[in-house]
Amino acid sequence: MQGRSYGYIRVSSADQNEERQQIALQAKSVPEKNIYIDKRSGRDFDRPQYLQLLKRLRRGDVLYILSIDRLGRNYQEIQQQWQFLTKYKGVDICVIDMPLLDTRLGKDLIGTFIADLVLQVLSFAAQNERENIHERQLQGIEAARVRGVQFRRPPKPLPENFGEMVQKWKEGELNASAAAAACGMPLSTFLYRARQRENPE
């Protein structure tokens, strides 16, 4: 009996568009109800829709993805997932933009060898690109810091009675713990903000 067709789409963030991947899956006649979409990083496979997809897949089904980096960007985990899907679950995988990565074709020894080799190269490239993206992000952050951009969260506004409690603490009417409690602040925060108030530099 012929298996069902499924599609998996991944984009790295909520503001990225998955339309190109959807069009590619529709061209393969994947039913819309069988398309699973995650808006998550590809660094691991802990993704809610992917995990739901795994529960649905049965032996003989076909999983379509547009490119190998949509499956993931971690070299070792891509290899492990590929083996899990094809060997353990008996699912065929078709990587649309790389015809050599279609497990329905070339199931002889040479075909399997070529597919495995291509998979290793592409999954390595996917991880390498993820690491390059991360490195570019770090360089961008460092460049912004050099320009004086601040990445710290703005401090919470001080409670209305803060000045009064600081004054009472300084004059000995209250100890620091009581003054901090009256402000609803941890002691360390109260002392830090009090010193900061006295010496803004």
Side-chain angles (χ1 to χ4, degrees), residues 33-119:
K33 66 178 182 178
N34 288 354
I35 295 176
Y36 290 75
I37 303 174
D38 274 314
K39 298 191 176 183
R40 293 287 184 92
S41 163
R43 68 177 176 270
D44 59 43
F45 284 85
D46 186 18
R47 309 176 212 138
Q49 288 300 301
Y50 182 77
L51 296 176
Q52 285 297 317
L53 171 62
L54 288 184
K55 293 178 183 177
R56 292 281 306 277
L57 288 168
R58 297 290 182 269
R59 184 170 295 275
D61 290 344
V62 181
L63 173 61
Y64 290 93
I65 54 175
L66 177 57
S67 58
I68 197 67
D69 62 349
R70 298 306 89 199
L71 184 63
R73 285 189 179 275
N74 181 299
Y75 176 81
Q76 186 173 9
E77 290 195 7
I78 291 173
Q79 305 284 321
Q80 291 171 349
Q81 282 298 309
W82 189 277
Q83 292 296 318
F84 173 75
L85 289 167
T86 58
K87 301 295 191 293
Y88 178 75
K89 291 189 75 74
V91 173
D92 278 310
I93 305 175
C94 174
V95 180
I96 297 169
D97 69 358
M98 180 53 63
L100 285 172
L101 286 180
D102 185 341
T103 60
R104 297 169 298 177
L105 308 173
K107 288 183 178 288
D108 59 359
L109 184 60
I110 293 176
T112 302
F113 171 75
I114 292 173
D116 286 347
L117 188 61
V118 172
L119 174 64

Coordinates of all heavy atoms in Angstrom, one line a residue, residues 33-119:
K33 N -3.0 19.6 5.0 CA -3.1 19.1 6.4 C -1.9 18.3 6.9 O -1.7 18.0 8.1 CB -4.4 18.2 6.5 CG -4.3 16.9 5.7 CD -5.6 16.1 5.9 CE -5.4 14.8 5.1 NZ -6.6 13.9 5.3
N34 N -1.1 17.9 5.9 CA 0.1 17.0 6.2 C 1.4 17.9 6.2 O 2.5 17.3 6.2 CB 0.3 15.9 5.2 CG -0.8 14.8 5.5 OD1 -1.6 14.9 6.4 ND2 -0.9 13.8 4.6
I35 N 1.3 19.2 6.2 CA 2.4 20.0 6.2 C 2.6 20.6 7.6 O 1.7 21.2 8.2 CB 2.3 21.2 5.2 CG1 2.3 20.6 3.8 CG2 3.5 22.2 5.3 CD1 2.0 21.7 2.7
Y36 N 3.8 20.4 8.1 CA 4.1 20.9 9.5 C 5.2 22.0 9.4 O 6.2 21.9 8.7 CB 4.7 19.7 10.3 CG 3.6 18.7 10.6 CD1 3.2 17.8 9.7 CD2 3.0 18.6 11.9 CE1 2.2 16.8 10.0 CE2 2.1 17.7 12.2 CZ 1.6 16.8 11.2 OH 0.7 15.9 11.5
I37 N 4.9 23.1 10.2 CA 5.7 24.3 10.1 C 6.3 24.6 11.5 O 5.5 24.8 12.4 CB 5.0 25.5 9.5 CG1 4.4 25.1 8.2 CG2 5.8 26.7 9.4 CD1 3.5 26.2 7.6
D38 N 7.6 24.8 11.6 CA 8.2 25.3 12.8 C 8.9 26.6 12.5 O 9.5 26.8 11.5 CB 9.3 24.3 13.3 CG 8.7 23.2 14.2 OD1 7.9 23.5 15.1 OD2 9.0 22.0 14.0
K39 N 8.8 27.5 13.5 CA 9.5 28.8 13.4 C 10.5 28.8 14.5 O 10.4 29.4 15.6 CB 8.5 29.9 13.5 CG 7.5 29.9 12.3 CD 6.7 31.2 12.2 CE 5.8 31.1 11.0 NZ 5.0 32.3 10.7
R40 N 11.5 28.0 14.3 CA 12.6 27.7 15.3 C 13.9 27.6 14.7 O 14.1 27.3 13.5 CB 12.3 26.4 16.0 CG 11.0 26.4 16.9 CD 11.2 27.2 18.2 NE 10.1 27.1 19.1 CZ 10.0 26.2 20.0 NH1 10.9 25.3 20.2 NH2 8.9 26.2 20.8
S41 N 15.0 27.8 15.5 CA 16.3 27.6 15.0 C 16.5 26.1 14.6 O 15.9 25.2 15.1 CB 17.3 28.0 16.2 OG 18.6 27.4 15.9
G42 N 17.5 25.9 13.7 CA 17.8 24.6 13.3 C 19.0 23.9 14.1 O 19.5 22.9 13.6
R43 N 19.3 24.5 15.2 CA 20.5 24.0 15.9 C 20.2 22.6 16.6 O 21.1 21.8 16.9 CB 20.9 24.9 17.0 CG 20.0 25.1 18.2 CD 20.5 26.1 19.2 NE 19.6 26.3 20.3 CZ 18.7 27.3 20.3 NH1 18.7 28.2 19.2 NH2 17.9 27.5 21.3
D44 N 18.9 22.3 16.8 CA 18.5 21.0 17.3 C 17.2 20.6 16.9 O 16.5 21.3 16.1 CB 18.6 20.9 18.9 CG 17.7 21.9 19.5 OD1 16.5 22.0 19.1 OD2 18.1 22.6 20.5
F45 N 16.7 19.4 17.3 CA 15.4 18.9 16.8 C 14.3 19.0 17.8 O 13.2 18.3 17.7 CB 15.5 17.5 16.3 CG 16.2 17.4 14.9 CD1 17.6 17.4 14.8 CD2 15.5 17.4 13.7 CE1 18.2 17.4 13.6 CE2 16.1 17.4 12.5 CZ 17.5 17.4 12.4
D46 N 14.5 19.8 18.8 CA 13.5 19.9 19.9 C 12.5 21.0 19.4 O 12.5 22.1 19.9 CB 14.1 20.3 21.2 CG 13.1 20.4 22.3 OD1 12.0 19.8 22.2 OD2 13.4 21.0 23.4
R47 N 11.7 20.7 18.4 CA 10.7 21.6 17.8 C 9.3 21.0 17.9 O 9.2 19.8 17.5 CB 11.1 21.9 16.4 CG 12.6 22.3 16.2 CD 12.9 22.5 14.7 NE 14.3 22.1 14.5 CZ 14.7 21.4 13.4 NH1 13.9 21.0 12.5 NH2 16.0 21.1 13.3
P48 N 8.3 21.7 18.3 CA 7.0 21.1 18.6 C 6.4 20.5 17.3 O 5.8 19.4 17.4 CB 6.2 22.3 19.1 CG 6.9 23.5 18.8 CD 8.4 23.1 18.7
Q49 N 6.4 21.2 16.2 CA 5.7 20.6 15.0 C 6.5 19.4 14.4 O 5.9 18.5 13.9 CB 5.5 21.7 13.9 CG 4.5 22.7 14.3 CD 3.1 22.1 14.5 OE1 2.6 21.5 13.6 NE2 2.6 22.2 15.7
Y50 N 7.8 19.5 14.5 CA 8.6 18.4 14.0 C 8.3 17.1 14.9 O 8.2 16.0 14.3 CB 10.1 18.7 14.0 CG 11.0 17.6 13.5 CD1 11.1 17.3 12.1 CD2 11.7 16.7 14.4 CE1 11.8 16.3 11.6 CE2 12.4 15.7 13.9 CZ 12.5 15.5 12.5 OH 13.3 14.4 12.0
L51 N 8.2 17.3 16.2 CA 7.9 16.2 17.1 C 6.5 15.6 16.8 O 6.3 14.4 16.9 CB 8.1 16.6 18.5 CG 9.5 17.0 18.9 CD1 9.5 17.5 20.4 CD2 10.5 15.9 18.8
Q52 N 5.6 16.5 16.5 CA 4.2 16.0 16.1 C 4.3 15.2 14.8 O 3.6 14.2 14.6 CB 3.3 17.2 15.9 CG 2.8 17.8 17.2 CD 2.0 16.9 18.1 OE1 1.2 16.1 17.6 NE2 2.3 16.8 19.4
L53 N 5.1 15.7 13.8 CA 5.3 15.0 12.6 C 5.8 13.6 12.8 O 5.3 12.6 12.2 CB 6.2 15.8 11.7 CG 6.7 15.2 10.3 CD1 5.5 14.9 9.4 CD2 7.7 16.1 9.6
L54 N 6.8 13.5 13.6 CA 7.4 12.1 13.9 C 6.3 11.2 14.4 O 6.4 10.0 14.0 CB 8.5 12.3 14.9 CG 9.8 12.9 14.5 CD1 10.8 12.8 15.7 CD2 10.4 12.3 13.3
K55 N 5.4 11.6 15.2 CA 4.3 10.7 15.7 C 3.4 10.3 14.6 O 2.8 9.2 14.6 CB 3.5 11.5 16.7 CG 4.3 11.8 18.0 CD 3.4 12.5 19.0 CE 4.2 12.9 20.2 NZ 3.3 13.7 21.2
R56 N 3.3 11.1 13.5 CA 2.4 10.7 12.4 C 3.0 9.8 11.4 O 2.3 9.0 10.7 CB 1.9 12.0 11.7 CG 1.0 12.9 12.5 CD -0.5 12.4 12.6 NE -1.0 12.2 11.2 CZ -1.5 13.2 10.4 NH1 -1.5 14.4 10.9 NH2 -2.1 12.9 9.3
L57 N 4.3 9.9 11.2 CA 5.0 9.2 10.1 C 4.9 7.7 10.3 O 5.2 7.2 11.4 CB 6.4 9.7 10.0 CG 6.7 11.1 9.4 CD1 8.1 11.5 9.6 CD2 6.3 11.1 7.9
R58 N 4.6 7.0 9.3 CA 4.6 5.5 9.3 C 5.4 4.9 8.2 O 5.7 5.6 7.2 CB 3.1 5.0 9.1 CG 2.2 5.5 10.3 CD 2.5 4.7 11.6 NE 1.6 5.1 12.6 CZ 1.8 6.1 13.5 NH1 2.9 6.9 13.4 NH2 0.9 6.3 14.5
R59 N 5.8 3.7 8.3 CA 6.6 3.0 7.3 C 5.9 3.1 5.9 O 4.7 2.9 5.8 CB 6.8 1.5 7.6 CG 7.7 0.7 6.7 CD 8.0 -0.6 7.3 NE 8.8 -0.5 8.5 CZ 10.1 -0.4 8.5 NH1 10.8 -0.3 7.4 NH2 10.7 -0.3 9.7
G60 N 6.7 3.5 4.9 CA 6.2 3.7 3.6 C 5.8 5.1 3.2 O 5.5 5.5 2.1
D61 N 5.7 6.0 4.3 CA 5.4 7.4 4.0 C 6.5 8.1 3.4 O 7.7 7.6 3.4 CB 5.0 8.1 5.3 CG 3.7 7.7 5.9 OD1 2.9 7.0 5.1 OD2 3.4 7.9 7.1
V62 N 6.3 9.3 2.7 CA 7.3 10.1 2.1 C 7.3 11.4 2.8 O 6.3 12.1 2.9 CB 7.1 10.3 0.6 CG1 8.2 11.1 0.0 CG2 7.0 8.9 -0.1
L63 N 8.5 11.9 3.2 CA 8.6 13.2 3.8 C 9.4 14.1 2.8 O 10.5 13.8 2.4 CB 9.4 13.1 5.1 CG 9.8 14.4 5.8 CD1 8.6 15.3 6.1 CD2 10.7 14.2 7.0
Y64 N 8.8 15.2 2.4 CA 9.4 16.2 1.5 C 9.9 17.4 2.3 O 9.2 17.9 3.2 CB 8.3 16.7 0.5 CG 7.9 15.7 -0.5 CD1 6.8 14.9 -0.3 CD2 8.6 15.6 -1.7 CE1 6.4 14.0 -1.3 CE2 8.2 14.6 -2.7 CZ 7.1 13.8 -2.4 OH 6.7 12.9 -3.4
I65 N 11.1 17.8 2.0 CA 11.6 19.1 2.5 C 12.3 19.8 1.4 O 12.8 19.1 0.4 CB 12.6 18.9 3.7 CG1 13.8 17.9 3.3 CG2 12.0 18.4 5.0 CD1 14.9 17.8 4.3
L66 N 12.3 21.1 1.4 CA 12.8 21.9 0.3 C 14.3 21.7 0.2 O 14.9 21.5 -0.9 CB 12.5 23.3 0.4 CG 13.1 24.2 -0.7 CD1 12.6 23.7 -2.1 CD2 12.7 25.7 -0.5
S67 N 15.0 21.8 1.3 CA 16.5 21.7 1.3 C 16.9 21.1 2.7 O 16.2 21.2 3.7 CB 17.2 23.1 1.1 OG 16.8 24.0 2.1
I68 N 18.1 20.6 2.7 CA 18.6 19.8 3.9 C 18.7 20.8 5.1 O 18.5 20.4 6.2 CB 19.9 19.1 3.6 CG1 20.2 18.0 4.7 CG2 21.1 20.1 3.5 CD1 19.2 16.9 4.7
D69 N 19.0 22.1 4.9 CA 19.1 23.0 6.0 C 17.8 23.3 6.7 O 17.7 23.8 7.8 CB 19.9 24.2 5.7 CG 19.2 25.1 4.6 OD1 18.2 24.6 4.0 OD2 19.6 26.2 4.4
R70 N 16.7 23.0 6.0 CA 15.3 23.1 6.6 C 15.1 22.0 7.6 O 14.3 22.2 8.5 CB 14.2 23.2 5.5 CG 14.3 24.3 4.5 CD 14.3 25.7 5.2 NE 15.7 26.1 5.4 CZ 16.0 27.0 6.3 NH1 15.1 27.6 7.0 NH2 17.2 27.4 6.5
L71 N 15.7 20.9 7.4 CA 15.6 19.8 8.3 C 16.4 20.2 9.6 O 15.9 20.0 10.7 CB 16.2 18.5 7.8 CG 16.0 17.3 8.6 CD1 14.6 16.9 8.9 CD2 16.7 16.1 7.9
G72 N 17.6 20.7 9.4 CA 18.4 21.2 10.6 C 19.7 21.7 10.2 O 20.0 21.8 9.0
R73 N 20.4 22.2 11.2 CA 21.8 22.8 10.9 C 22.8 22.3 11.8 O 23.9 22.9 12.0 CB 21.7 24.4 11.0 CG 21.0 25.0 9.8 CD 21.1 26.6 9.9 NE 20.5 27.3 8.9 CZ 21.0 27.5 7.7 NH1 22.3 27.1 7.4 NH2 20.4 28.2 6.8
N74 N 22.6 21.1 12.4 CA 23.6 20.5 13.2 C 24.0 19.2 12.5 O 23.2 18.3 12.3 CB 23.0 20.2 14.6 CG 24.0 19.5 15.5 OD1 24.5 18.4 15.2 ND2 24.3 20.1 16.6
Y75 N 25.3 19.2 12.1 CA 25.8 18.1 11.3 C 25.5 16.7 11.9 O 24.9 15.9 11.2 CB 27.3 18.3 11.1 CG 28.0 17.2 10.3 CD1 28.0 17.1 8.9 CD2 28.7 16.2 11.0 CE1 28.6 16.1 8.2 CE2 29.3 15.1 10.3 CZ 29.2 15.1 8.9 OH 29.9 14.1 8.2
Q76 N 25.8 16.5 13.1 CA 25.7 15.2 13.7 C 24.2 14.8 13.8 O 23.8 13.7 13.6 CB 26.4 15.1 15.1 CG 26.4 13.7 15.7 CD 27.2 13.7 16.9 OE1 27.7 14.7 17.4 NE2 27.4 12.5 17.5
E77 N 23.4 15.8 14.3 CA 22.0 15.5 14.5 C 21.2 15.3 13.2 O 20.3 14.5 13.1 CB 21.3 16.6 15.3 CG 21.8 16.6 16.8 CD 20.9 17.4 17.7 OE1 19.9 17.9 17.2 OE2 21.3 17.6 18.8
I78 N 21.6 16.0 12.1 CA 21.0 15.7 10.8 C 21.2 14.2 10.4 O 20.3 13.5 10.0 CB 21.5 16.6 9.7 CG1 21.1 18.1 10.0 CG2 21.1 16.2 8.3 CD1 21.7 19.1 9.0
Q79 N 22.5 13.8 10.6 CA 22.8 12.4 10.2 C 22.0 11.4 11.1 O 21.5 10.4 10.5 CB 24.3 12.1 10.5 CG 25.3 13.1 9.8 CD 25.5 12.8 8.4 OE1 25.5 11.6 8.0 NE2 25.6 13.8 7.6
Q80 N 21.9 11.7 12.4 CA 21.1 10.8 13.2 C 19.7 10.8 12.9 O 19.0 9.7 12.8 CB 21.3 11.2 14.7 CG 22.7 11.0 15.2 CD 23.0 11.6 16.6 OE1 22.2 12.4 17.1 NE2 24.1 11.3 17.2
Q81 N 19.1 11.9 12.6 CA 17.6 12.0 12.3 C 17.4 11.3 10.9 O 16.4 10.6 10.8 CB 17.2 13.4 12.2 CG 16.9 14.1 13.5 CD 15.8 13.4 14.3 OE1 14.7 13.2 13.8 NE2 16.1 13.1 15.5
W82 N 18.3 11.5 10.0 CA 18.1 10.8 8.7 C 18.1 9.3 8.9 O 17.3 8.6 8.3 CB 19.3 11.2 7.8 CG 19.1 10.8 6.3 CD1 19.5 9.6 5.8 CD2 18.6 11.6 5.3 NE1 19.2 9.6 4.5 CE2 18.7 10.8 4.1 CE3 18.1 12.9 5.2 CZ2 18.2 11.3 2.9 CZ3 17.7 13.3 3.9 CH2 17.8 12.5 2.8
Q83 N 19.0 8.8 9.6 CA 19.1 7.3 9.9 C 17.8 6.9 10.6 O 17.3 5.8 10.3 CB 20.3 7.0 10.7 CG 21.6 7.2 10.0 CD 21.8 6.3 8.8 OE1 21.4 5.1 8.9 NE2 22.2 6.8 7.7
F84 N 17.4 7.7 11.6 CA 16.2 7.3 12.4 C 15.0 7.2 11.5 O 14.2 6.3 11.6 CB 16.0 8.4 13.5 CG 14.7 8.2 14.3 CD1 14.6 7.2 15.2 CD2 13.6 9.0 14.0 CE1 13.4 7.0 15.9 CE2 12.4 8.9 14.7 CZ 12.3 7.8 15.6
L85 N 14.8 8.2 10.6 CA 13.6 8.3 9.7 C 13.7 7.1 8.7 O 12.7 6.4 8.5 CB 13.6 9.6 9.0 CG 13.2 10.8 9.9 CD1 13.4 12.1 9.2 CD2 11.7 10.7 10.3
T86 N 14.8 7.0 8.0 CA 14.9 6.0 6.9 C 15.0 4.6 7.4 O 14.4 3.7 6.8 CB 16.0 6.4 6.0 OG1 17.3 6.4 6.7 CG2 15.8 7.8 5.4
K87 N 15.9 4.4 8.4 CA 16.1 3.0 8.8 C 15.1 2.5 9.9 O 14.6 1.4 9.8 CB 17.6 2.9 9.4 CG 18.7 3.3 8.4 CD 18.7 2.4 7.2 CE 20.0 2.6 6.3 NZ 20.0 3.9 5.6
Y88 N 14.9 3.3 10.9 CA 14.1 2.8 12.0 C 12.6 2.9 11.7 O 11.8 2.0 11.9 CB 14.4 3.6 13.3 CG 13.5 3.3 14.5 CD1 13.8 2.1 15.2 CD2 12.5 4.1 14.9 CE1 13.0 1.7 16.3 CE2 11.7 3.8 16.0 CZ 11.9 2.6 16.6 OH 11.2 2.2 17.7
K89 N 12.2 4.1 11.2 CA 10.8 4.3 10.9 C 10.4 3.8 9.5 O 9.2 3.7 9.1 CB 10.4 5.8 11.1 CG 10.4 6.2 12.5 CD 9.8 7.6 12.7 CE 8.3 7.6 12.6 NZ 7.6 7.0 13.8
G90 N 11.4 3.6 8.6 CA 11.1 3.1 7.2 C 10.4 4.2 6.4 O 9.6 3.9 5.5
V91 N 10.7 5.5 6.6 CA 10.2 6.6 5.9 C 11.1 7.0 4.7 O 12.3 7.0 4.9 CB 10.0 7.8 6.8 CG1 9.5 9.0 6.0 CG2 8.9 7.4 7.9
D92 N 10.6 7.3 3.6 CA 11.4 7.8 2.5 C 11.5 9.4 2.6 O 10.5 10.0 3.1 CB 10.8 7.5 1.1 CG 11.2 6.1 0.7 OD1 12.4 5.8 0.7 OD2 10.4 5.3 0.3
I93 N 12.6 9.9 2.3 CA 12.8 11.4 2.3 C 13.2 11.9 0.9 O 14.0 11.3 0.3 CB 14.0 11.8 3.3 CG1 13.7 11.2 4.7 CG2 14.1 13.3 3.4 CD1 14.8 11.4 5.7
C94 N 12.5 13.0 0.6 CA 12.9 13.6 -0.7 C 13.3 15.1 -0.4 O 12.4 15.9 0.1 CB 11.7 13.6 -1.6 SG 11.9 14.5 -3.2
V95 N 14.5 15.4 -0.7 CA 15.0 16.8 -0.6 C 14.8 17.4 -2.0 O 15.5 17.1 -2.9 CB 16.5 16.8 -0.1 CG1 17.0 18.3 0.0 CG2 16.7 16.1 1.2
I96 N 13.9 18.3 -2.1 CA 13.4 18.8 -3.4 C 14.5 19.4 -4.2 O 14.6 19.2 -5.4 CB 12.2 19.7 -3.2 CG1 11.0 19.0 -2.5 CG2 11.8 20.3 -4.5 CD1 9.9 19.8 -2.1
D97 N 15.3 20.3 -3.6 CA 16.3 21.0 -4.4 C 17.6 20.2 -4.6 O 18.6 20.7 -5.1 CB 16.6 22.4 -3.8 CG 17.4 22.3 -2.5 OD1 17.6 21.2 -2.0 OD2 17.7 23.4 -1.9
M98 N 17.6 18.9 -4.1 CA 18.8 18.1 -4.3 C 18.3 16.7 -4.7 O 18.1 15.8 -3.9 CB 19.7 18.0 -3.1 CG 20.9 17.2 -3.2 SD 22.0 17.5 -4.6 CE 22.5 19.2 -4.2
P99 N 18.0 16.4 -6.0 CA 17.5 15.2 -6.5 C 18.2 13.9 -6.0 O 17.6 12.8 -5.9 CB 17.5 15.3 -8.0 CG 17.4 16.8 -8.2 CD 18.2 17.4 -7.1
L100 N 19.5 14.0 -5.8 CA 20.3 12.9 -5.3 C 19.9 12.4 -3.9 O 20.1 11.3 -3.5 CB 21.8 13.2 -5.3 CG 22.5 13.2 -6.7 CD1 23.9 13.7 -6.6 CD2 22.5 11.8 -7.3
L101 N 19.2 13.3 -3.2 CA 18.8 13.0 -1.8 C 17.3 12.7 -1.9 O 16.4 13.4 -1.3 CB 19.0 14.2 -0.9 CG 20.5 14.3 -0.5 CD1 20.6 15.5 0.5 CD2 21.1 13.1 0.2
D102 N 17.0 11.6 -2.6 CA 15.6 11.1 -2.7 C 15.8 9.6 -2.5 O 16.2 8.8 -3.3 CB 15.0 11.4 -4.0 CG 13.5 10.9 -4.1 OD1 13.1 10.1 -3.3 OD2 12.8 11.4 -5.0
T103 N 15.4 9.1 -1.3 CA 15.7 7.7 -0.9 C 14.8 6.7 -1.7 O 15.0 5.5 -1.5 CB 15.5 7.5 0.6 OG1 14.1 7.9 1.0 CG2 16.4 8.4 1.4
R104 N 13.8 7.2 -2.4 CA 13.0 6.3 -3.3 C 13.8 5.8 -4.5 O 13.5 4.9 -5.1 CB 11.7 7.0 -3.7 CG 10.8 7.4 -2.6 CD 9.7 8.3 -3.0 NE 10.2 9.5 -3.6 CZ 9.5 10.5 -4.1 NH1 8.2 10.3 -4.2 NH2 10.0 11.6 -4.5
L105 N 14.9 6.6 -4.8 CA 15.7 6.3 -6.0 C 17.0 5.6 -5.6 O 17.5 5.9 -4.5 CB 15.9 7.6 -6.8 CG 14.7 8.4 -7.1 CD1 15.1 9.7 -7.7 CD2 13.8 7.6 -8.1
G106 N 17.6 4.9 -6.5 CA 18.9 4.4 -6.3 C 19.1 3.6 -5.0 O 20.0 4.0 -4.2
K107 N 18.3 2.6 -4.7 CA 18.4 1.9 -3.4 C 19.4 0.8 -3.5 O 19.6 0.1 -2.5 CB 17.0 1.3 -3.1 CG 16.0 2.4 -2.6 CD 14.7 1.7 -2.2 CE 13.7 2.7 -1.7 NZ 14.0 3.3 -0.4
D108 N 20.1 0.7 -4.6 CA 21.2 -0.2 -4.7 C 22.4 0.3 -3.9 O 22.4 1.4 -3.4 CB 21.6 -0.6 -6.1 CG 22.0 0.7 -6.9 OD1 22.0 1.8 -6.3 OD2 22.4 0.5 -8.1
L109 N 23.5 -0.4 -3.8 CA 24.7 -0.1 -3.0 C 25.3 1.3 -3.5 O 25.6 2.1 -2.7 CB 25.7 -1.2 -3.1 CG 27.0 -1.0 -2.2 CD1 26.6 -0.9 -0.8 CD2 27.9 -2.1 -2.5
I110 N 25.4 1.4 -4.8 CA 26.0 2.7 -5.3 C 25.1 3.9 -5.0 O 25.6 4.9 -4.6 CB 26.3 2.5 -6.8 CG1 27.4 1.5 -7.1 CG2 26.8 3.9 -7.4 CD1 27.7 1.2 -8.5
G111 N 23.8 3.7 -5.3 CA 22.9 4.8 -5.1 C 22.9 5.2 -3.6 O 22.9 6.4 -3.3
T112 N 22.9 4.2 -2.7 CA 22.9 4.5 -1.2 C 24.2 5.2 -0.9 O 24.2 6.2 -0.1 CB 22.8 3.2 -0.4 OG1 21.6 2.6 -0.8 CG2 22.8 3.5 1.1
F113 N 25.3 4.8 -1.4 CA 26.6 5.4 -1.1 C 26.7 6.8 -1.6 O 27.1 7.7 -0.8 CB 27.7 4.6 -1.8 CG 29.1 5.3 -1.8 CD1 29.8 5.3 -0.6 CD2 29.6 6.0 -2.9 CE1 31.1 5.9 -0.6 CE2 30.8 6.6 -2.8 CZ 31.5 6.6 -1.7
I114 N 26.2 7.1 -2.8 CA 26.1 8.5 -3.3 C 25.2 9.4 -2.4 O 25.6 10.5 -2.0 CB 25.7 8.5 -4.8 CG1 26.7 7.9 -5.7 CG2 25.4 10.0 -5.2 CD1 26.3 7.7 -7.1
A115 N 24.1 8.9 -2.1 CA 23.1 9.6 -1.2 C 23.7 10.0 0.1 O 23.6 11.1 0.6 CB 21.8 8.9 -1.1
D116 N 24.4 9.0 0.7 CA 25.0 9.2 2.0 C 26.1 10.2 1.9 O 26.3 11.1 2.8 CB 25.6 7.9 2.6 CG 24.5 6.9 3.1 OD1 23.4 7.4 3.2 OD2 24.8 5.7 3.3
L117 N 26.9 10.2 0.9 CA 28.0 11.1 0.7 C 27.5 12.5 0.5 O 28.0 13.5 1.1 CB 28.8 10.7 -0.6 CG 30.1 11.5 -0.8 CD1 31.1 11.3 0.3 CD2 30.8 11.0 -2.1
V118 N 26.4 12.7 -0.3 CA 25.8 14.0 -0.6 C 25.2 14.5 0.8 O 25.4 15.7 1.1 CB 24.7 13.9 -1.7 CG1 24.0 15.2 -1.7 CG2 25.4 13.6 -3.0
L119 N 24.6 13.6 1.5 CA 24.0 14.0 2.8 C 25.1 14.6 3.7 O 24.9 15.6 4.4 CB 23.3 12.9 3.4 CG 22.7 13.1 4.9 CD1 21.7 14.2 4.8 CD2 22.2 11.8 5.4

